[in-house]
Amino acid sequence: MPRDHEDPGLDSVDRHILAELQADGRMTNVELARRVNLSAPPCLRRVRRLEEAGVIRGYHADIDPVALGWEITFFALVGLESQKQAVLDAFESLATSWSEVRECHMIRGGGDFLLRLVARDTAHENELTSRLTGAPSVMRVQTLQTIRTAKDVAGVPIG
Amino acid sequence: MPRDHEDPGLDSVDRHILAELQADGRMTNVELARRVNLSAPPCLRRVRRLEEAGVIRGYHADIDPVALGWEITFFALVGLESQKQAVLDAFESLATSWSEVRECHMIRGGGDFLLRLVARDTAHENELTSRLTGAPSVMRVQTLQTIRTAKDVAGVPIG
DNA sequence: TGGCCGGGCGCAATATCATTGCACGTTCCT
DNA sequence: AGGAACGTGCAATGATATTGCGCCCGGCCA
């Protein structure tokens, strides 16, 4: 009986821990233990186990992009003129090498990528769009500029 | 003299702190202080200041969706049949109320939204797509299913 | 049924860390 | 030069993280 993605057998306490740490990744272990009704040592052991199993991939501070001068967040839907592996790989290498590209997803259907980017201002955004349009094998670039984000929740539902 | 986004005057040490906490949000303060060449107390005071200024919005554990049974992550580009505020608001309320919707961005140009969703399996994905298609005022739904994520970096470039 | 594991828990002890008060140095402005 | 504002480092105290260990419960086998 094959299991794709190792099932660490998460019980309800584990899920509770994950929900708490997803909401506040810097919570002390003592506080976490209190919330999940455990004493500190077994709580910490569970957290370590979840980290080692890869269920918890890391912890990140959530930083306001605007405070660092990244005024614009936008998405770009990029169509390539070929679906050949070499072309896809080349575009991926290019896109992932730009620091302004924060996400790069290959989209089902072939030849399309969805990117999330940040830019300092509209001039910078235009420059990035131009660089995309002018990149090898790029046939089409549709920018999707975010004007309002109604919801942006870290992670996944737990329950 | 109003200032939209309070400028806390981030110096290079602050940026260094942000970069470290963005990469590892659970780092101890002494380790952080060591990395930015400061002693622990002033380092902690800077972190607190960044938190209170809203530059650091929070900390989150990064959890593997697959480990919790969310096998599929996809995006949906939703077109509404009207750009009237009431229609936009209604769709936003609906979309943000679904736990499977993790991001909901209104896109420039009017009447469009980009959503990021998670689903347990393809049946669930189809159900979500149907629910979107059948939602009031929804004219068009284009699903963008991620088949490979080449890059997904938390936060923003710092430097 | 009775005894043997194995896993997971809590307690207690110790090492580390967070947090505060305080004094010193530097910068800038007068 | 004098001094105020700011930020630093040191030192002390209170919390927290981490480890070792003994106990309890539940499954398993004789």
Side-chain angles (χ1 to χ4, degrees), chain B residues 6 8 16 21 23 34 39 41 64 66 87 90-91 97 101-103 127 130 136 146 159:
Chain B
E6 189 57 34
H16 195 169
L21 287 179
R34 194 186 61 71
S39 64
D64 179 10
V66 173
V87 171
F91 179 78
S97 74
V101 172
R102 307 312 286 178
E103 296 178 34
E127 185 219 316
S130 298
T146 295

Side-chain angles (χ1 to χ4, degrees), chain A residues 22 25-27 55 57-60 62 64 92 96 102 104 106 108 145 147-151 153, chain B residues 22 25-27 55 57-60 62 64 92 96 102 104-106 108 145 147-148 150-151 153:
Chain A
Q22 182 169 273
R26 269 213 129 182
M27 188 181 299
V55 177
R57 297 188 291 203
Y59 302 88
H60 305 287
D62 173 19
D64 180 9
E92 257 190 19
T96 59
R102 307 310 287 176
C104 173
M106 188 184 296
R108 169 147 305 176
Q145 192 176 337
I147 53 180
R148 175 176 145 73
T149 294
K151 182 173 185 177
V153 187
Chain B
Q22 183 168 273
R26 269 211 130 185
M27 188 180 299
V55 177
R57 296 187 292 203
Y59 303 87
H60 304 286
D62 172 20
D64 179 10
E92 258 190 20
T96 59
R102 307 312 286 178
C104 173
H105 306 281
M106 190 184 295
R108 168 148 305 175
Q145 192 176 337
I147 53 179
R148 176 177 144 73
K151 182 173 184 175
V153 187

Side-chain angles (χ1 to χ4, degrees), chain A residues 124-144:
Chain A
H124 187 194
E125 183 196 353
N126 289 337
E127 185 220 318
L128 288 168
T129 304
S130 298
R131 273 167 45 194
L132 278 176
T133 307
S137 302
V138 168
M139 178 174 281
R140 157 180 57 80
V141 176
Q142 179 185 0
T143 62
L144 306 169

Side-chain angles (χ1 to χ4, degrees), chain B residues 53-125:
Chain B
V55 177
I56 297 176
R57 296 187 292 203
Y59 303 87
H60 304 286
D62 172 20
I63 294 170
D64 179 10
V66 173
L68 274 99
W70 303 101
E71 296 283 340
I72 299 177
T73 293
F74 67 105
F75 293 85
L77 202 46
V78 177
L80 303 187
E81 63 190 14
S82 157
Q83 302 183 28
K84 286 208 294 239
Q85 195 62 39
V87 171
L88 301 180
D89 289 350
F91 179 78
E92 258 190 20
S93 298
L94 181 70
T96 59
S97 74
W98 296 1
S99 66
E100 296 95 339
V101 172
R102 307 312 286 178
E103 296 178 34
C104 173
H105 306 281
M106 190 184 295
I107 297 301
R108 168 148 305 175
D112 281 350
F113 285 86
L114 179 65
L115 312 180
R116 179 173 68 85
L117 303 96
V118 292
R120 297 204 168 278
D121 49 40
T122 53
H124 187 194
E125 184 196 352

Side-chain angles (χ1 to χ4, degrees), chain A residues 90-101:
Chain A
F91 179 78
E92 257 190 19
S93 298
L94 181 69
T96 59
S97 73
W98 297 1
S99 66
E100 296 95 337
V101 172

Side-chain angles (χ1 to χ4, degrees), chain A:
Chain A
M1 169 188 148
R3 277 180 303 183
D4 301 352
H5 277 273
E6 188 55 33
D7 186 333
L10 303 180
D11 65 14
S12 72
V13 177
D14 288 325
R15 276 194 286 274
H16 195 170
I17 287 175
L18 292 173
E20 294 290 346
L21 287 179
Q22 182 169 273
D24 178 4
R26 269 213 129 182
M27 188 181 299
T28 67
N29 182 59
V30 172
E31 172 64 12
L32 179 61
R34 193 186 62 71
R35 294 195 188 199
V36 302
N37 295 314
L38 228 53
S39 63
C43 183
L44 185 63
R45 282 191 289 260
R46 279 169 179 266
V47 171
R48 292 283 178 268
R49 188 163 54 78
L50 291 167
E51 289 168 352
E52 276 155 32
V55 177
I56 297 176
R57 297 188 291 203
Y59 302 88
H60 305 287
D62 173 19
I63 295 171
D64 180 9
V66 173
L68 273 93
W70 302 101
E71 297 283 339
I72 298 176
T73 291
F74 67 105
F75 294 85
L77 202 46
V78 177
L80 303 187
E81 63 190 12
S82 156
Q83 302 182 26
K84 286 208 293 237
Q85 196 61 41
V87 171
L88 301 179
D89 289 350
F91 179 78
E92 257 190 19
S93 298
L94 181 69
T96 59
S97 73
W98 297 1
S99 66
E100 296 95 337
V101 172
R102 307 310 287 176
E103 294 177 35
C104 173
H105 306 281
M106 188 184 296
I107 297 302
R108 169 147 305 176
D112 281 350
F113 286 86
L114 179 65
L115 312 180
R116 180 173 67 85
L117 303 97
V118 291
R120 298 204 168 278
D121 49 41
T122 54
H124 187 194
E125 183 196 353
N126 289 337
E127 185 220 318
L128 288 168
T129 304
S130 298
R131 273 167 45 194
L132 278 176
T133 307
S137 302
V138 168
M139 178 174 281
R140 157 180 57 80
V141 176
Q142 179 185 0
T143 62
L144 306 169
Q145 192 176 337
T146 295
I147 53 180
R148 175 176 145 73
T149 294
K151 182 173 185 177
D152 188 355
V153 187
V156 295
I158 299 175

